[in-house]
Amino acid sequence: MKCIIVDDEPLAIEILESYVARIDELELKGTFRNAIAAFSFLQQNQVDLIFLDIEMPKLSGIDFLKTLKNSPKVIITTAYRDYAIEGFELEVVDYLLKPISFERFLKSVGKLQRIDMPAAPQASTQDNFIYFKVDKKMVKTKIADILYIESIKDYVKVRTADKEIITQQKISYLDESLPRQQFLRVHRSFIVNLDRIDAYTATDVEISKFKVPIGRNYKADVMKVLSKQVFT
């Protein structure tokens, strides 16, 4: 996704440039200290996304937005809260208040479906592996080797017996993608491999050397599933 940064503060541009550089799906095509320069650039060049400040000389970010026909997606980056309603009325993707953390920036970019991290291939009972994107490569992982999956903000940690995989993915997607007869959501932040459970109590599940908590809202369903596997 091609993007530009429009901001009159050099430090703000520098920070946003560093954030963009950390996301493979973003390609920075230019930075501009005022909206007039950005407008001129857009007359000859097409971009998909603008990171736009509001309080700028010559032309404000809001007025700049109003001049654009077929506007690219816009994420506002500003130190002022006052323009939030007007910004969303202009259908901006998000409204970020400075100072902007990378985590908040990443969450905002994640709202753009076109540059969400590629989803892992659908897993089925016929599949015996799944791919996870790690940095710039796809890592093949045997489904049977997965012990549990943990959600950490906009990422998930996939724990196997011998390694840990960190990938940008939503745990809800994996909950739907992995074989339901083999994987169980036991907590808002955890999915476990039923085949790898060694023991469990009313509060947690033991898998190898790890203890995975059972969420209060999941407890009834988890106990129902696990009790079907108990033989007395």
Side-chain angles (χ1 to χ4, degrees):
M1 178 172 279
K2 298 176 182 178
C3 65
I4 61 173
I5 298 169
V6 187
D7 200 307
D8 65 330
E9 299 177 18
L11 180 58
I13 290 177
E14 183 178 339
I15 291 171
L16 290 174
E17 280 182 315
S18 70
Y19 288 174
V20 169
R22 294 166 66 179
I23 300 178
D24 294 339
E25 289 74 21
L26 291 180
E27 179 186 0
L28 184 62
K29 303 302 292 185
T31 63
F32 304 92
R33 296 284 297 276
N34 62 73
I36 300 296
F39 181 84
S40 298
F41 176 83
L42 292 175
Q43 299 311 296
Q44 303 296 326
N45 301 274
Q46 184 175 354
V47 301
D48 306 298
L49 174 63
I50 304 173
F51 294 100
L52 180 65
D53 190 16
I54 292 180
E55 291 282 350
M56 293 184 291
K58 300 183 180 179
L59 185 68
S60 74
I62 293 294
D63 290 336
F64 169 62
L65 269 181
K66 293 176 180 178
T67 68
L68 297 179
K69 295 181 180 180
N70 301 317
S71 172
K73 300 293 185 182
V74 174
I75 294 177
I76 287 178
T77 59
T78 180
Y80 302 93
R81 299 177 180 272
D82 306 345
Y83 304 96
I85 294 177
E86 192 170 4
F88 285 115
E89 286 177 348
L90 292 169
E91 299 183 343
V92 301
V93 174
D94 207 350
Y95 194 97
L96 303 184
L97 286 173
K98 299 174 182 175
I100 303 166
S101 69
F102 178 67
E103 289 75 18
R104 183 65 182 88
F105 178 87
L106 186 62
K107 182 177 181 180
S108 182
V109 170
K111 291 183 178 182
L112 297 164
Q113 186 175 1
R114 289 177 58 190
I115 59 172
D116 275 344
M117 295 297 287
Q122 290 282 343
S124 70
T125 54
Q126 286 75 40
D127 297 327
N128 60 11
F129 62 86
I130 191 168
Y131 283 98
F132 295 103
K133 184 172 182 180
V134 181
D135 296 326
K136 296 182 179 181
K137 61 183 177 182
M138 303 300 289
V139 177
K140 184 177 181 179
T141 305
K142 288 184 178 180
I143 290 177
D145 289 344
I146 298 173
L147 302 181
Y148 67 87
I149 296 167
E150 179 182 2
S151 174
I152 306 172
K153 292 187 178 180
D154 297 313
Y155 294 81
V156 294
K157 177 171 67 176
V158 181
R159 168 67 72 176
T160 70
D162 58 357
K163 64 183 176 182
E164 181 179 280
I165 299 169
I166 305 292
T167 181
Q168 187 184 354
Q169 187 58 263
K170 294 183 181 297
I171 194 170
S172 57
Y173 178 84
L174 292 176
D175 189 27
E176 296 174 359
S177 301
L178 291 166
R180 291 190 175 275
Q181 72 274 18
Q182 187 176 353
F183 288 86
L184 178 65
R185 186 86 170 263
V186 298
H187 187 282
R188 198 178 111 191
S189 301
F190 289 92
I191 297 172
V192 300
N193 185 341
L194 291 170
D195 294 340
R196 304 303 294 264
I197 293 176
D198 296 317
Y200 70 89
T201 68
T203 58
D204 57 59
V205 173
E206 294 181 16
I207 301 178
S208 186
K209 60 183 179 181
F210 306 102
K211 279 191 175 184
V212 177
I214 296 174
R216 182 175 59 183
N217 295 333
Y218 292 81
K219 183 176 178 180
D221 290 337
V222 171
M223 291 298 114
K224 184 177 180 180
V225 171
L226 294 181
S227 64
K228 290 180 180 179
Q229 301 180 332
V230 174
F231 294 91
T232 58

